[in-house]
PDB file of all heavy atoms in Angstrom:
ATOM      1  N   PRO O 351      43.375 201.522  38.270  1.00  0.00           N
ATOM      2  CA  PRO O 351      42.314 202.547  38.348  1.00  0.00           C
ATOM      3  C   PRO O 351      42.777 203.816  39.072  1.00  0.00           C
ATOM      4  O   PRO O 351      42.329 204.918  38.717  1.00  0.00           O
ATOM      5  CB  PRO O 351      41.197 201.841  39.133  1.00  0.00           C
ATOM      6  CG  PRO O 351      41.460 200.384  38.965  1.00  0.00           C
ATOM      7  CD  PRO O 351      42.944 200.254  38.892  1.00  0.00           C
ATOM      8  N   ILE O 352      43.653 203.668  40.054  1.00  0.00           N
ATOM      9  CA  ILE O 352      44.191 204.844  40.760  1.00  0.00           C
ATOM     10  C   ILE O 352      45.012 205.696  39.791  1.00  0.00           C
ATOM     11  O   ILE O 352      44.890 206.923  39.750  1.00  0.00           O
ATOM     12  CB  ILE O 352      45.051 204.398  41.958  1.00  0.00           C
ATOM     13  CG1 ILE O 352      44.204 203.632  42.964  1.00  0.00           C
ATOM     14  CG2 ILE O 352      45.733 205.592  42.625  1.00  0.00           C
ATOM     15  CD1 ILE O 352      44.998 202.990  44.101  1.00  0.00           C
ATOM     16  N   TYR O 353      45.831 205.023  38.998  1.00  0.00           N
ATOM     17  CA  TYR O 353      46.635 205.696  37.977  1.00  0.00           C
ATOM     18  C   TYR O 353      45.741 206.338  36.917  1.00  0.00           C
ATOM     19  O   TYR O 353      45.944 207.497  36.535  1.00  0.00           O
ATOM     20  CB  TYR O 353      47.579 204.672  37.350  1.00  0.00           C
ATOM     21  CG  TYR O 353      48.216 205.080  36.044  1.00  0.00           C
ATOM     22  CD1 TYR O 353      49.222 206.042  35.990  1.00  0.00           C
ATOM     23  CD2 TYR O 353      47.822 204.480  34.838  1.00  0.00           C
ATOM     24  CE1 TYR O 353      49.813 206.403  34.782  1.00  0.00           C
ATOM     25  CE2 TYR O 353      48.406 204.837  33.634  1.00  0.00           C
ATOM     26  CZ  TYR O 353      49.408 205.793  33.609  1.00  0.00           C
ATOM     27  OH  TYR O 353      49.979 206.140  32.421  1.00  0.00           O
ATOM     28  N   GLU O 354      44.750 205.619  36.467  1.00  0.00           N
ATOM     29  CA  GLU O 354      43.840 206.119  35.439  1.00  0.00           C
ATOM     30  C   GLU O 354      43.078 207.349  35.922  1.00  0.00           C
ATOM     31  O   GLU O 354      42.891 208.318  35.178  1.00  0.00           O
ATOM     32  CB  GLU O 354      42.866 205.012  35.020  1.00  0.00           C
ATOM     33  CG  GLU O 354      41.995 205.365  33.841  1.00  0.00           C
ATOM     34  CD  GLU O 354      41.170 204.180  33.354  1.00  0.00           C
ATOM     35  OE1 GLU O 354      41.188 203.119  34.015  1.00  0.00           O
ATOM     36  OE2 GLU O 354      40.516 204.325  32.294  1.00  0.00           O
ATOM     37  N   ASP O 355      42.682 207.317  37.186  1.00  0.00           N
ATOM     38  CA  ASP O 355      41.961 208.447  37.777  1.00  0.00           C
ATOM     39  C   ASP O 355      42.863 209.673  37.859  1.00  0.00           C
ATOM     40  O   ASP O 355      42.436 210.799  37.558  1.00  0.00           O
ATOM     41  CB  ASP O 355      41.459 208.049  39.167  1.00  0.00           C
ATOM     42  CG  ASP O 355      40.431 209.015  39.715  1.00  0.00           C
ATOM     43  OD1 ASP O 355      39.662 209.591  38.918  1.00  0.00           O
ATOM     44  OD2 ASP O 355      40.398 209.224  40.938  1.00  0.00           O
ATOM     45  N   ALA O 356      44.125 209.479  38.250  1.00  0.00           N
ATOM     46  CA  ALA O 356      45.075 210.590  38.332  1.00  0.00           C
ATOM     47  C   ALA O 356      45.341 211.170  36.948  1.00  0.00           C
ATOM     48  O   ALA O 356      45.431 212.396  36.770  1.00  0.00           O
ATOM     49  CB  ALA O 356      46.381 210.114  38.971  1.00  0.00           C
ATOM     50  N   LEU O 357      45.471 210.291  35.955  1.00  0.00           N
ATOM     51  CA  LEU O 357      45.702 210.728  34.578  1.00  0.00           C
ATOM     52  C   LEU O 357      44.523 211.561  34.077  1.00  0.00           C
ATOM     53  O   LEU O 357      44.707 212.630  33.460  1.00  0.00           O
ATOM     54  CB  LEU O 357      45.914 209.507  33.687  1.00  0.00           C
ATOM     55  CG  LEU O 357      46.091 209.742  32.192  1.00  0.00           C
ATOM     56  CD1 LEU O 357      47.281 210.647  31.915  1.00  0.00           C
ATOM     57  CD2 LEU O 357      46.253 208.404  31.463  1.00  0.00           C
ATOM     58  N   ALA O 358      43.308 211.094  34.333  1.00  0.00           N
ATOM     59  CA  ALA O 358      42.108 211.828  33.900  1.00  0.00           C
ATOM     60  C   ALA O 358      42.028 213.191  34.587  1.00  0.00           C
ATOM     61  O   ALA O 358      41.621 214.187  33.967  1.00  0.00           O
ATOM     62  CB  ALA O 358      40.854 211.003  34.210  1.00  0.00           C
ATOM     63  N   TYR O 359      42.439 213.253  35.859  1.00  0.00           N
ATOM     64  CA  TYR O 359      42.394 214.523  36.591  1.00  0.00           C
ATOM     65  C   TYR O 359      43.353 215.539  35.988  1.00  0.00           C
ATOM     66  O   TYR O 359      42.998 216.716  35.800  1.00  0.00           O
ATOM     67  CB  TYR O 359      42.722 214.296  38.065  1.00  0.00           C
ATOM     68  CG  TYR O 359      42.702 215.565  38.880  1.00  0.00           C
ATOM     69  CD1 TYR O 359      41.506 216.128  39.308  1.00  0.00           C
ATOM     70  CD2 TYR O 359      43.888 216.211  39.204  1.00  0.00           C
ATOM     71  CE1 TYR O 359      41.493 217.308  40.039  1.00  0.00           C
ATOM     72  CE2 TYR O 359      43.883 217.391  39.937  1.00  0.00           C
ATOM     73  CZ  TYR O 359      42.691 217.931  40.346  1.00  0.00           C
ATOM     74  OH  TYR O 359      42.678 219.103  41.066  1.00  0.00           O
ATOM     75  N   VAL O 360      44.560 215.093  35.648  1.00  0.00           N
ATOM     76  CA  VAL O 360      45.540 216.002  35.036  1.00  0.00           C
ATOM     77  C   VAL O 360      45.000 216.548  33.721  1.00  0.00           C
ATOM     78  O   VAL O 360      45.084 217.752  33.442  1.00  0.00           O
ATOM     79  CB  VAL O 360      46.891 215.296  34.811  1.00  0.00           C
ATOM     80  CG1 VAL O 360      47.844 216.194  34.015  1.00  0.00           C
ATOM     81  CG2 VAL O 360      47.527 214.914  36.139  1.00  0.00           C
ATOM     82  N   LYS O 361      44.425 215.673  32.907  1.00  0.00           N
ATOM     83  CA  LYS O 361      43.886 216.116  31.617  1.00  0.00           C
ATOM     84  C   LYS O 361      42.727 217.087  31.810  1.00  0.00           C
ATOM     85  O   LYS O 361      42.532 218.010  31.016  1.00  0.00           O
ATOM     86  CB  LYS O 361      43.446 214.901  30.801  1.00  0.00           C
ATOM     87  CG  LYS O 361      44.615 214.028  30.358  1.00  0.00           C
ATOM     88  CD  LYS O 361      44.188 212.686  29.822  1.00  0.00           C
ATOM     89  CE  LYS O 361      43.491 212.782  28.495  1.00  0.00           C
ATOM     90  NZ  LYS O 361      43.191 211.446  27.927  1.00  0.00           N
ATOM     91  N   SER O 362      41.954 216.904  32.881  1.00  0.00           N
ATOM     92  CA  SER O 362      40.805 217.777  33.132  1.00  0.00           C
ATOM     93  C   SER O 362      41.222 219.185  33.544  1.00  0.00           C
ATOM     94  O   SER O 362      40.419 220.121  33.452  1.00  0.00           O
ATOM     95  CB  SER O 362      39.901 217.177  34.222  1.00  0.00           C
ATOM     96  OG  SER O 362      40.511 217.310  35.505  1.00  0.00           O
ATOM     97  N   LEU O 363      42.448 219.357  33.997  1.00  0.00           N
ATOM     98  CA  LEU O 363      42.907 220.686  34.407  1.00  0.00           C
ATOM     99  C   LEU O 363      42.981 221.643  33.227  1.00  0.00           C
ATOM    100  O   LEU O 363      42.888 222.857  33.389  1.00  0.00           O
ATOM    101  CB  LEU O 363      44.284 220.588  35.080  1.00  0.00           C
ATOM    102  CG  LEU O 363      44.329 219.859  36.421  1.00  0.00           C
ATOM    103  CD1 LEU O 363      45.763 219.734  36.923  1.00  0.00           C
ATOM    104  CD2 LEU O 363      43.461 220.560  37.457  1.00  0.00           C
ATOM    105  N   ASP O 364      43.194 221.082  32.029  1.00  0.00           N
ATOM    106  CA  ASP O 364      43.188 221.880  30.791  1.00  0.00           C
ATOM    107  C   ASP O 364      44.097 223.108  30.903  1.00  0.00           C
ATOM    108  O   ASP O 364      43.726 224.224  30.544  1.00  0.00           O
ATOM    109  CB  ASP O 364      41.752 222.314  30.456  1.00  0.00           C
ATOM    110  CG  ASP O 364      41.626 222.795  29.008  1.00  0.00           C
ATOM    111  OD1 ASP O 364      42.438 222.347  28.176  1.00  0.00           O
ATOM    112  OD2 ASP O 364      40.739 223.617  28.735  1.00  0.00           O
TER     113      ASP O 364
END
Side-chain angles (χ1 to χ4, degrees):
I352 298 172
Y353 164 73
E354 187 173 6
D355 194 32
L357 177 59
Y359 180 79
V360 173
K361 292 167 70 175
S362 74
L363 293 175
D364 196 26

